[in-house]
Amino acid sequence: MAGAPFSEKYWNSIETISAAEARAVQDERVREQIAHLAANSAFYREKFSQHHVDVTKVRTVEDLAGLPFTEKQELRDSLASFPPLGAHVAVDDSDIVQIQASSGTTGSPSYVGLTASDVVTWCELGARALYANGFRPGDRLLHAFGMSKGFVGGLPIVQILQYMGIVDIPIGAEAGAERLLRVQADQRPNALIGTPYFLTHLAEQAPKIVGRAARELGVRAISVGGEPGGGLPAVRENLETLWGATAREMLGGTDIACTYWGECEAGDGMHFLSPDLMVAELIDPETGEQVAPVEGAQGELVYTALRRQASPLLRFRTRDHVVVTGTDCSCGRTGYKVRCIGRTDDMLIVRGINVFPSAIKQLVLEMMPATTGEMRIQADFEGHSTQRPLPLVVEHASGLSQDQQQDLRAALEQRIRSALNVKTVVELVPDGTLKRPDHVKVALIERVLS
C-alpha cells in the first residue's frame, strides 16, 4: 500500500492545486519527458527528425501544440516492425517488469511495457480516480471487469486496489453472472467495479440466481468504466436503484495508463486529477486545433505522459470524444470535468449529421419500461457514413400488444429524429433477443454488410 490517503476527501493534495501551480509542475516535467524520448526512443527521434522538431526549444506545455500527434496506427506499425514492444519503447528489456495489452477497441491489441516505476505511476493515477469514486482503504471489492488477455481492467486494477489498501476479490467477468453473484452473496464486499451494462445485467439476474435483490447484497459504492454510458442519467439511475449504491464513472486507456479520470460525489463528470503525471489536451478532431476546456466544450482527448519510462507517448490521439461538464466543483478538486460521449472513430455520419451510438442508447433507455434498454445499430454500409436512414434494432418489453409495439416503434423513430435530427428505421424484437454484456464492452454497432 502507498500509505494513508492525503485526507478524507482526496487521495493526493495535487488534486486541489491551482492552475498556475499545476502548470509549473507540468512545464518542468514536459522538459524531462521530452529529453527522455529524444535520448531513448528511436520512434520519437525519427518523428522529431521528420517534423524538424528542436527538442531543446520545447520548454512548456504551450510548446506541445507545435509538435506532431502520435496516432494509434503508428504504434501498431511500430509494434509490428519492431516486436515485441516497438521502436517507441524507451528502456532496456531488462528494465521491463510487466506488459499490458489493450482490450482491442479497434484492431489488434497494443502492447505496453512497464518498468517498476511505471507500475507505481499507474497505481497512483488509478488511486486518485477510484478514491474520487468513493472507494476507501479497508473496503472489500468484487472485481467484475475481465481478468484475461492482459486486459487493463484486470491485473492493473488489482494492483491499484492493493496500492490503496483495498481487498480485491478478482473473480472477473469471464466467470459469468452466477459465479460473481454467488461470491457477492457469500463475501458481501461493499464495493463493485466493472462496465455499466454488465453490472446492470448482474443486478437484474440476482433474484433468479441468489434469491435476493442486488440492493440486499451489501454494495455501497460502484465504479464503472470501459465503455461510454456510465454517466448517462438513465443508466446511472437504474444501476444505483438496482444495487442500492452510488455509481460513479472513471476513464482511462492502456496506452497511457489504466485509469486517470474520476468522478466525485457531485456526480456530474469525471475530474482530471493528475497534472503532475500527464498532460490532457482537448482538440477539434477534424482540424487538430486545441479547444479550450470550458464548460460545454467538446473535443477529442490527447495525452502526453509525464514521468513515464518504458512506453511514454507524446500527444497521443485517444479518439475519446468528451464534453466538458464543468471547470470547478463543490468537492474542491480543481481539474476540469468531462463526460465521455463516444469515440470519434465510432461516430457515425447519417446524411451529414454526426451521431454517437451512446446518444441513441440514452434515448432508448428513456423509453423504458416499454423497451428493455437494449439496442443495436445495424450498420449496413461501409465506413462511418450513410445517406440512408439508420437501421436500429430495439428490444421491447414482454407483454406488449401489436398495437403497443407499433406505437413504440413510431415513438422511438420520432424521439430520435427530434433529439438528434437523424432518421432511423426501428425494428422491434422481443425481450431477450439481443446478447447481453458478458465481458468487457457492449458493441452498440453491428456490421451487417451483404
Side-chain angles (χ1 to χ4, degrees):
M1 180 179 171
F6 173 73
S7 72
E8 184 180 345
K9 291 187 68 174
Y10 317 114
W11 179 262
N12 193 299
S13 61
I14 201 80
E15 298 167 44
T16 63
I17 65 173
S18 69
E21 291 172 313
R23 185 51 52 88
V25 172
Q26 287 187 326
D27 285 348
E28 177 184 352
R29 295 190 175 182
V30 161
R31 293 191 289 270
E32 293 173 353
Q33 193 74 77
I34 290 288
H36 177 68
L37 291 173
N40 299 290
S41 171
F43 173 87
Y44 279 107
R45 280 199 299 272
E46 176 65 20
K47 200 170 181 67
F48 293 153
S49 176
Q50 288 178 352
H51 292 269
H52 308 291
V53 174
D54 182 349
V55 295
T56 66
K57 294 183 178 178
V58 181
R59 309 298 297 165
T60 68
V61 172
E62 282 79 6
D63 294 333
L64 293 176
L67 302 182
F69 294 115
T70 300
E71 300 280 359
K72 186 76 169 182
Q73 189 58 50
E74 290 181 282
L75 300 183
R76 292 196 184 103
D77 293 343
S78 174
L79 287 162
S81 300
F82 300 94
L85 293 175
H88 53 287
V89 72
V91 296
D92 292 335
D93 287 348
S94 60
D95 293 321
I96 302 291
V97 300
Q98 190 168 319
I99 295 173
Q100 286 302 140
S102 74
S103 57
T105 300
T106 57
S108 300
S110 291
Y111 299 99
V112 177
L114 300 170
T115 67
S117 175
D118 290 337
V119 172
V120 174
T121 295
W122 273 33
C123 287
E124 178 62 25
L125 286 161
R128 297 175 194 178
L130 296 184
Y131 200 79
N133 284 173
F135 293 175
R136 295 292 182 267
D139 284 346
R140 291 156 58 88
L141 176 140
L142 182 66
H143 199 128
F145 275 130
M147 294 294 297
S148 67
K149 301 179 183 178
F151 170 51
V152 74
L155 176 63
I157 289 288
V158 175
Q159 291 171 316
I160 291 166
L161 295 167
Q162 291 175 340
Y163 179 83
M164 296 175 71
I166 292 171
V167 177
D168 187 31
I169 307 176
I171 303 301
E174 307 91 330
E178 181 167 354
R179 171 82 167 166
L180 283 161
L181 286 166
R182 293 203 181 279
V183 171
Q184 179 64 47
D186 291 343
Q187 293 291 316
R188 296 186 69 82
N190 60 354
L192 180 61
I193 195 166
T195 61
Y197 298 116
F198 183 56
L199 296 188
T200 299
H201 173 64
L202 277 186
E204 292 169 344
Q205 297 300 306
K208 179 174 67 176
I209 292 174
V210 296
R212 280 175 284 173
R215 72 179 67 89
E216 299 172 11
L217 298 179
V219 175
R220 183 198 83 243
I222 298 171
S223 176
V224 296
E227 63 190 0
L232 297 176
V235 175
R236 180 191 300 255
E237 182 179 348
N238 191 36
L239 197 57
E240 292 187 332
T241 299
L242 286 167
W243 284 101
T246 62
R248 297 291 178 261
E249 270 198 302
M250 49 85 161
L251 175 68
T254 310
D255 295 284
I256 292 291
C258 176
T259 183
Y260 32 84
W261 294 81
E263 187 174 34
C264 69
E265 63 270 19
D268 60 356
M270 296 172 284
H271 283 278
F272 179 60
L273 301 166
S274 300
D276 56 327
L277 297 174
M278 58 192 300
V279 176
E281 299 175 65
L282 198 62
I283 68 164
D284 182 318
E286 298 297 326
T287 67
E289 295 297 315
Q290 288 183 331
V291 175
V294 298
E295 187 168 352
Q298 292 191 28
E300 178 186 334
L301 287 170
V302 170
Y303 298 133
T304 294
L306 303 177
R307 290 289 167 98
R308 277 293 299 279
Q309 296 178 334
S311 299
L313 298 181
L314 175 69
R315 301 202 81 200
F316 174 68
R317 291 193 63 166
T318 65
R319 306 295 172 174
D320 285 334
H321 195 97
V322 301
V323 58
V324 178
T325 61
T327 55
D328 57 11
C329 188
S330 58
C331 78
R333 291 177 177 84
T334 50
Y336 65 93
K337 296 179 287 189
V338 302
R339 187 76 74 209
C340 186
I341 56 176
R343 291 181 54 80
T344 56
D345 50 9
D346 283 347
M347 184 182 73
L348 300 174
I349 305 173
V350 183
R351 296 181 65 87
I353 302 296
N354 294 346
V355 60
F356 287 97
S358 58
I360 297 177
K361 174 78 172 182
Q362 169 66 15
L363 297 174
V364 172
L365 285 163
E366 290 173 359
M367 297 294 284
M368 295 173 66
T371 75
T372 68
E374 292 295 328
M375 52 75 66
R376 301 291 186 273
I377 296 168
Q378 294 201 320
D380 57 354
F381 49 88
E382 296 279 2
H384 295 271
S385 180
T386 181
Q387 293 297 311
R388 300 192 299 272
L390 195 63
L392 191 64
V393 177
V394 178
E395 277 190 358
H396 66 77
S398 300
L400 293 189
S401 67
Q402 289 296 319
D403 286 345
Q404 289 173 320
Q405 291 180 38
Q406 184 62 34
D407 289 344
L408 176 59
R409 183 183 299 106
L412 282 165
E413 291 177 352
Q414 175 56 37
R415 190 179 186 89
I416 295 168
R417 183 88 178 249
S418 176
L420 304 176
N421 200 26
V422 168
K423 187 175 181 180
T424 57
V425 175
V426 172
E427 175 190 356
L428 294 179
V429 296
D431 182 1
T433 301
L434 298 176
K435 188 176 186 295
R436 295 305 195 263
D438 59 3
H439 200 341
V440 181
K441 290 181 172 69
V442 177
L444 296 181
I445 301 176
E446 294 180 348
R447 294 288 173 179
V448 290
L449 297 175
S450 56

